[in-house]
Amino acid sequence: MGGLGFNFFAGLVLGAIVGFIIGYLAGAVSKPEEKKIPAREDKAKKLFELAIKEENGEKKTELLGKILEKYPHSQWADKVLEEVMKMKKETK
């Protein structure tokens, strides 16, 4: 191998491996993973936003009811209940 020995290549490979590991860990620590929203939650969110924008009271109530039926254990079901309470206070 001419003037370069086995130790040189072993050091080069080891350095590359250690560098990769350090780079990977530094990237993982500095860039937190984005939380991926489950498809069901995303659909419930869209339905909730549509209901909030709705001006017709009956249509709004119907949309909010769909969220409670299809996604009863989601965070959006809780928001629906809050919205219904707010609507009830406004009608008094």
Side-chain angles (χ1 to χ4, degrees), residues 6-77:
F6 174 78
N7 289 339
F8 172 79
F9 287 109
L12 189 63
V13 170
L14 186 60
I17 292 171
V18 170
F20 174 79
I21 291 170
I22 290 173
Y24 176 79
L25 292 176
V29 170
S30 65
K31 183 179 174 186
E33 290 184 29
E34 294 180 17
K35 291 183 179 178
K36 193 168 189 178
I37 299 172
R40 292 180 56 84
E41 286 287 318
D42 193 39
K43 289 179 183 177
K45 178 184 177 185
K46 288 180 183 178
L47 196 58
F48 181 78
E49 290 172 351
L50 185 65
I52 294 300
K53 293 177 185 175
E54 182 62 50
E55 293 182 17
N56 182 336
E58 287 183 32
K59 178 102 170 150
K60 184 175 186 174
T61 304
E62 181 182 323
L63 291 170
L64 293 173
K66 283 184 182 181
I67 296 171
L68 290 176
E69 287 175 19
K70 292 183 177 184
Y71 315 103
H73 301 291
S74 71
Q75 68 178 6
W76 300 104

